């Protein structure tokens, strides 16, 4: 609780985007990132679903944190997350059946997505509702940016273009196969580490 | 004036041998195979080899410029990677695919891991594996050698393909044809004779030892003998000779100890035969060496030589 007083609300919001980017820095939620980032359409759909669940569960967990017994907190988190995932799943099925069909099992699997339970445990459980809301929004934006960039790269090189537009005649098939996902994500992680490290050395020399 | 006594730690004797000299030997050893490739596939082979030789140092130079690393083109390792990759490619491959393969080999296979000496996988084979996954059709289109008066390319199947797919209408080449190189296949896997000349040169120059090639080829020969299939056919087809002498013996990605090298060769041979006989691909040299490359650190750890007087191989600090 003391931590939240020192940090400004900007830090809570920005943490999930760059410094604590769920996929590239914290390396959580890699499984859905790899599986769903084959096309941009799927990636955007997935990040909307994750954003809904992450913000909802962060709000709920921080709202009930004062009377959540710590030995029972994980099952309680899971129940909270399950509720939001079920809502998201049915909303998708009702309003966007194609997207729901394409994402398939990965929507129900948001329940066990490390990003959501990780933020609930590491942040929302010990912080105020407002900070948790900001953290959830920041994390969602971070996840959205990363998965969209990965999907953009993979779909462009692996499929030859975005959506219906095909630019490359002979696309590199590997990019829409699992190895392409690993290569893209590894390269982005390397760039992110380089960027963060350079920022750190610059700050220490100043 | 008294005599100078210079105290220093070992090594006391130094040779002139360095990385460029080793790489130069590998290039010399690959010349017969490259000439054979040009002889059998003419313009196609020349085109692919030239593209690879140009783009390999270029990719190395550009990536080192971007990463602000020391320029290492003059150690010739990029040239070796380019040449080795060229020899694993099919002749009719479009040049732009070969160029991408070389760039992937140098950047993804080597530079991303920290440059020469840090790569866990053989860079040339990484390039080939990526190309096979990206453009499977182009990477498995083979032509007959154009040594005969017919100069246009005739699409055909490789000997291993004929066996795997049980293509009855194709005629299998004889053992002599396989040995001399008159058959379809990648640039460097046609002429066993040319590859053996290069391999023997490397052995003579002591750039490689017999441990990896012999154990690799030995397992393939033994297992095909035990399974009662044509031993010479298994030895002479595919990229086996190229892989055993030039790919598996890569210093960076193979074990350091002699015992470890023999284990490495045995595992490579087993994987190759498993893929050839039971796997989905007709040839498994590339993947088998890549897979066993992953085990190299473990093999090294398990075969650490016992120190003189030490009780156990490992944990000697206790």
């Amino acid at each position: 609780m003391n931590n939240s007083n020192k940090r400004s609300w900007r830090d809570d919001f920005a943490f999930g985007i760059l410094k604590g980017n769920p996929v590239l820095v914290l390396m959580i939620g890699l499984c859905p990132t790899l599986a769903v980032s084959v096309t941009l359409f799927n990636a955007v759909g997935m990040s909307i679903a994750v954003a809904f669940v992450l913000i909802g569960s962060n709000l709920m967990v921080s709202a009930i944190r004062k009377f959540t017994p710590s030995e029972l907190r994980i099952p309680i988190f899971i129940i909270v997350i399950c509720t939001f995932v079920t809502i998201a799943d049915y909303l998708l099925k009702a309003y966007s059946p194609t997207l729901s069909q394409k994402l398939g099992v990965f929507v129900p699997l948001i329940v066990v997505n490390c990003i959501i339970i990780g933020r609930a445990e590491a942040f929302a459980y010990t912080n105020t509702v407002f900070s948790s809301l900001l953290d959830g929004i920041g994390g969602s934006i971070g996840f959205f940016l990363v998965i969209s960039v990965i999907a953009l790269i993979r779909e462009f090189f692996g499929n030859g273009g975005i959506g219906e537009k095909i630019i490359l005649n002979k696309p590199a098939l590997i990019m829409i196969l699992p190895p392409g996902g690993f290569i893209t994500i590894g390269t982005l992680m390397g760039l992110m580490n380089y960027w963060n490290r350079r920022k750190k050395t610059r700050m220490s020399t100043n | 004036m008294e005599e100078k006594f210079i105290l220093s730690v070992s090594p006391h004797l130094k040779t002139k041998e360095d990385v460029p000299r080793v790489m130069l030997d590998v290039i010399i050893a690959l010349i017969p195979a490259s000439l054979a490739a040009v002889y059998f596939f003419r313009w196609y082979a020349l085109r692919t080899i030239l593209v690879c030789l140009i783009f390999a140092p270029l990719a190395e130079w550009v990536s080192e410029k971007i990463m602000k690393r020391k320029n290492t083109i003059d150690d010739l390792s990029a040239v070796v990677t380019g040449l080795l990759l060229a020899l694993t490619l099919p002749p009719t491959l479009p040049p732009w695919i070969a160029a991408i393969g070389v760039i992937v080999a140098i950047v993804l296979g080597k530079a991303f891991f920290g440059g020469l000496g840090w790569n866990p996988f053989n860079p040339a084979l990484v390039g080939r594996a990526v190309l096979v996954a990206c453009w499977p059709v182009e990477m498995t289109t083979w032509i007959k050698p154009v040594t005969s008066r017919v100069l246009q390319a005739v699409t055909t199947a490789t000997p291993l393909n004929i066996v795997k797919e049980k293509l009855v209408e194709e005629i299998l080449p004889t053992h002599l044809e396989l040995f001399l190189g008159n058959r379809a296949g990648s640039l460097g896997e046609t002429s066993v004779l040319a590859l053996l000349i290069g391999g023997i040169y490397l052995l003579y120059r002591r750039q490689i030892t017999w441990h990896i090639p012999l154990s690799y080829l030995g397992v393939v020969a033994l297992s095909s003998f035990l399974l009662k299939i044509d031993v010479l056919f298994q030895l002479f087809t595919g990229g086996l000779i190229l892989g055993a002498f030039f790919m598996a013996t890569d210093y960076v990605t193979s074990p350091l100890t002699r015992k470890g090298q023999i284990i490495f060769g045995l595992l490579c041979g087993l994987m190759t035969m498993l893929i050839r006989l039971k796997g989905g691909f007709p040839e498994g040299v590339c993947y088998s060496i890549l897979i066993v490359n992953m085990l190299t650190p473990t093999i090294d750890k398990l075969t650490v030589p016992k120190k003189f007087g030490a009780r156990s191989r490992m944990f000697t600090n206790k």
Side-chain angles (χ1 to χ4, degrees), chain B residues 1-76:
Chain B
M1 200 151 157
E2 59 185 277
E3 293 258 331
K4 266 188 190 166
F5 286 102
I6 299 165
L7 285 175
S8 71
V9 291
S10 61
H12 302 292
L13 295 172
K14 288 170 187 161
T15 65
K16 281 181 185 162
E17 194 135 288
D18 48 9
V19 176
R21 178 65 226 186
V22 177
M23 293 299 166
L24 189 67
D25 268 338
V26 179
I27 293 171
I28 292 171
L30 283 172
I31 285 175
S34 315
L35 288 181
V38 174
Y39 174 75
F40 285 120
F41 297 112
R42 303 289 154 93
W43 161 242
Y44 293 115
L46 199 63
R47 185 179 71 179
T48 307
I49 291 174
L50 280 181
V51 164
C52 287
L53 286 184
I54 291 167
F55 274 90
L58 200 69
E60 176 128 320
W61 183 74
V62 171
S63 66
E64 278 169 349
K65 268 272 170 294
I66 293 172
M67 296 183 192
K68 297 192 186 97
R69 286 211 190 109
K70 214 181 97 214
N71 187 345
T72 56
I73 299 181
D74 49 357
D75 74 9
L76 294 176

Side-chain angles (χ1 to χ4, degrees), chain A residues 56-206:
Chain A
S57 77
N58 257 12
L59 279 177
M60 194 59 134
V61 165
S62 65
I64 60 169
R65 72 185 187 281
K66 290 205 173 127
F67 44 87
T68 306
S70 74
E71 58 269 25
L72 280 178
R73 67 185 192 281
I74 299 291
I76 290 171
F77 294 165
I78 298 278
I79 290 167
V80 169
I81 296 165
C82 272
T83 314
F84 285 104
V85 170
T86 312
I87 296 170
D89 195 18
Y90 281 128
L91 281 177
L92 271 179
K93 272 185 185 147
Y95 292 101
S96 177
T98 41
L99 185 63
S100 168
Q101 210 169 23
K102 278 187 175 162
L103 294 179
V105 76
F106 288 97
V107 176
L109 276 181
I110 298 176
V111 174
V112 285
N113 190 321
C114 304
I115 298 176
I116 289 144
I117 201 151
R119 290 325 285 167
E121 164 77 9
F123 194 90
Y125 188 57
T126 50
N127 282 286
T128 60
V129 175
F130 183 61
S131 316
S132 302
L133 172 71
L134 290 174
D135 182 76
I137 297 172
S140 307
I141 293 174
F143 182 72
F144 166 75
L145 286 177
V146 172
I147 197 170
S148 310
V149 169
I150 294 170
L152 208 66
I153 296 171
R154 287 182 71 185
E155 192 180 0
F156 183 77
F157 288 109
N159 229 358
I162 304 301
E164 305 286 295
K165 262 192 183 170
I166 301 296
I167 299 159
L168 305 175
N169 280 331
K170 283 184 178 170
L173 265 184
I174 195 173
M175 293 307 279
I176 51 170
L177 300 174
F182 281 109
I183 291 170
T184 318
I185 216 167
T187 312
L188 286 180
M189 265 177 199
L191 286 175
M192 192 77 178
N193 279 345
Y194 173 72
W195 199 75
N196 277 346
R197 205 183 295 164
R198 210 178 58 166
K199 217 170 80 177
K200 215 175 271 174
T201 49
R202 200 180 280 166
M203 268 153 95
S204 61
T205 47
N206 279 352

Side-chain angles (χ1 to χ4, degrees), chain B residues 120-122 125-126 128-129 212 216-217 219-220 239-244 247-248 253 263-277 281-296 299:
Chain B
F121 301 106
N122 188 318
L125 290 179
V126 170
R128 185 187 148 78
I212 291 177
Y216 193 164
L217 299 176
V219 166
V220 171
L240 185 65
I241 306 279
L242 182 71
M247 307 284 196
T253 55
I263 298 171
F264 182 87
L266 296 178
L267 288 173
C268 281
L270 279 178
M271 288 303 297
T272 304
M273 287 313 279
L274 263 178
I275 296 175
R276 272 188 187 178
L277 298 177
F281 293 98
E283 173 60 317
V285 169
C286 171
Y287 292 115
S288 67
I289 296 176
L290 282 175
I291 291 168
V292 184
N293 274 346
M294 276 196 291
L295 299 174
T296 297
I299 296 173

